[in-house]
Amino acid sequence: MPLVCLTDYEEYAKEHLSKATWDYYAAGADECCTRDDNLLAYKRIRLRPRILRDVSVSDTRTTVQGTEISFPVGIAPTAFHCLAWHEGEVATARATEALNTCYITSTYATCSVEEIVAAAPNGYRWFQLYVYRDRKLSEQMVHRVEALGYKALVLTVDVPYTGKRRNDIRNQFKLPPHLKVKNFDGVFQVTANVLCDLQNMTSSYKSPEAYGIPANTLDPSISWKDIYWLQSITRLPIIIKGILTKEDAELAVEHGVQGIIVSNHGGRQLDGGPASIDALPEIVDTVQGRIEVYVDGGIRTGSDVLKALALGAKCVFIGRPAVWGLAYKGEEGVREVLQILNDEFRLSMALSGCRNVAEINRNLIQFSKL
């Protein structure tokens, strides 16, 4: 049976990955309410199609940070691709290069940034950055990726501590010995994924505080002033990932960042927060076009992409579906997942009366309770 939609790839991955690996990728925090609502929220949104619009020719191209991409779907930063396919992030990079879209490389990649650039030298890439207690680690990473031609920094701001992912704790999840967080190879001479008590918290459970690097490495004291610090060490655009409120969106604009990714970390951090797509409209309304706004979390079909753009997103990013594609057939599987979304998006545009991305707007949307 051919795989014809992203759900087919999900089912394949669930059947063929080990339980611990599947649980790691599928994990949400606590009761997984936010993870699940990321999907349900799209189903609550209805489209208002226009007819007789001559959609014989359509164009899915758009731009992000001034660079043209073939369609408004990129790859979100997701860790440990080598768990799903032996080539890992190298395969993901080749797939996104082939389809001419944006790949946000994770700090926690199992291939180094140098290996990724060598594999797909013409790819359009951003780099996801965390701020560590040892600021020199973050600064060194910034300089590495800037020198390698990465085009933006995606500062992930919703992980002062790692969310409680119950199955990872039950499974005592850790990277197998042959895999490493390659961007920190040799920096931390420790066994990957030490299970430890979260410091400075009153929780009684144990959790992998920082997957693949020593516990308590991330800096929970990070604040808005660190945006200025980051701007002082790089000329790359800074995009903040993890904003869910209009108040923080306004602060992001005031601090001079170039973009926002509306994100709840795939429901892996704070359980009970809003679905990303539900948070998107107030952020778009607050930003008023001053900077670009993107969204991730819960995108599974081309019509989901259309809905996100109609609500004001410039581009969407997919996380878990890229991993499912990897698990199926490596680079080819990721290409297939992206191509399915591209084809479905183009079809949804046409059936809604949109000939190009510029014609997609909020008039296309109505909200309906299931």
Side-chain angles (χ1 to χ4, degrees):
M1 292 285 288
L3 307 189
V4 300
C5 64
L6 268 58
T7 302
D8 291 346
Y9 289 82
E10 179 181 17
E11 291 175 357
Y12 180 94
K14 188 172 184 178
E15 290 176 5
H16 289 82
L17 294 173
S18 72
K19 181 181 185 303
T21 296
W22 172 258
D23 284 349
Y24 167 72
Y25 288 133
D30 298 302
E31 296 180 302
C32 299
C33 296
T34 297
R35 180 199 66 180
D36 296 345
D37 201 39
N38 274 346
L39 299 170
L40 294 171
Y42 278 97
K43 300 183 189 304
R44 294 191 290 264
I45 300 169
R46 295 287 181 268
L47 294 166
R48 302 176 64 250
R50 300 297 305 278
I51 58 169
L52 300 176
R53 302 269 289 196
D54 183 6
V55 290
S56 56
V57 178
S58 61
D59 184 357
T60 63
R61 291 175 298 170
T62 191
T63 62
V64 287
Q65 298 298 316
T67 295
E68 184 177 283
I69 56 176
S70 62
F71 71 120
V73 178
I75 303 290
T78 44
F80 307 156
H81 286 194
C82 283
L83 283 176
W85 185 258
H86 65 279
E87 289 186 305
E89 290 83 4
V90 161
T92 308
R94 289 180 182 139
T96 50
E97 179 187 60
L99 272 80
N100 185 30
T101 192
C102 181
Y103 170 34
I104 308 177
T105 301
S106 171
T107 290
Y108 294 97
T110 38
C111 300
S112 70
V113 286
E114 289 82 7
E115 290 169 333
I116 290 165
V117 169
N122 298 314
Y124 179 60
R125 282 175 292 271
W126 298 348
F127 182 76
Q128 178 221 20
L129 182 72
Y130 287 104
V131 172
Y132 298 99
R133 293 175 190 267
D134 181 355
R135 296 301 169 91
K136 289 183 180 179
L137 289 178
S138 299
E139 189 168 344
Q140 288 166 1
M141 280 305 308
V142 168
H143 292 153
R144 274 173 74 183
V145 300
E146 192 165 11
L148 285 165
Y150 281 75
K151 299 303 183 185
L153 296 175
V154 178
L155 180 65
T156 299
V157 295
D158 55 2
V159 192
Y161 301 96
T162 304
K164 184 179 179 181
R165 302 162 197 171
R166 296 176 182 177
N167 281 342
D168 284 354
I169 299 166
R170 293 185 183 110
N171 296 332
Q172 297 187 40
F173 172 81
K174 61 182 179 181
L175 284 178
H178 69 283
L179 296 181
K180 297 178 180 178
V181 179
K182 288 292 285 291
N183 290 321
F184 295 109
D185 194 12
V187 176
F188 302 116
Q189 299 300 326
V190 298
T191 302
N193 291 85
V194 179
L195 293 177
C196 70
D197 288 315
L198 294 177
Q199 293 183 350
N200 305 318
M201 299 180 73
T202 58
S203 305
S204 60
Y205 66 88
K206 290 193 171 186
S207 167
E209 161 72 340
Y211 293 82
I213 66 173
N216 304 304
T217 305
L218 295 175
D219 189 350
S221 75
I222 184 173
S223 67
W224 286 104
K225 69 178 186 297
D226 293 303
I227 304 299
Y228 296 133
W229 165 75
L230 197 55
Q231 289 166 337
S232 76
I233 64 170
T234 183
R235 289 181 289 181
L236 291 176
I238 296 169
I239 295 157
I240 293 185
K241 177 180 181 291
I243 285 180
L244 291 167
T245 64
K246 61 185 180 182
E247 294 87 350
D248 283 339
E250 182 59 43
L251 284 167
V253 173
E254 291 174 4
H255 283 79
V257 305
Q258 281 72 42
I260 289 169
I261 301 180
V262 180
S263 174
N264 54 37
H265 216 100
R268 295 162 76 84
Q269 283 301 108
L270 176 66
D271 199 27
S276 298
I277 193 66
D278 286 343
L280 177 65
E282 74 171 60
I283 291 171
V284 169
D285 291 346
T286 297
V287 167
Q288 290 287 311
R290 291 174 288 174
I291 60 176
E292 292 184 352
V293 178
Y294 320 106
V295 67
D296 68 19
I299 293 103
R300 298 293 183 267
T301 67
S303 65
D304 291 343
V305 180
L306 181 63
K307 291 171 184 178
L309 265 65
L311 290 171
K314 183 74 168 169
C315 180
V316 307
F317 291 91
I318 59 169
R320 293 181 181 95
V323 173
W324 304 336
L326 275 176
Y328 175 61
K329 208 180 288 185
E331 175 189 343
E332 185 178 343
V334 179
R335 288 174 66 163
E336 289 177 9
V337 163
L338 288 169
Q339 190 62 56
I340 285 170
L341 282 176
N342 193 348
D343 293 344
E344 289 180 351
F345 174 59
R346 186 184 296 274
L347 181 59
S348 295
M349 279 177 56
L351 296 178
S352 299
C354 298
R355 291 160 290 203
N356 55 57
V357 169
E359 291 185 347
I360 301 170
N361 59 54
R362 206 171 288 189
N363 291 331
L364 202 60
I365 293 295
Q366 70 179 25
F367 291 92
S368 175
K369 292 183 179 179
L370 291 178

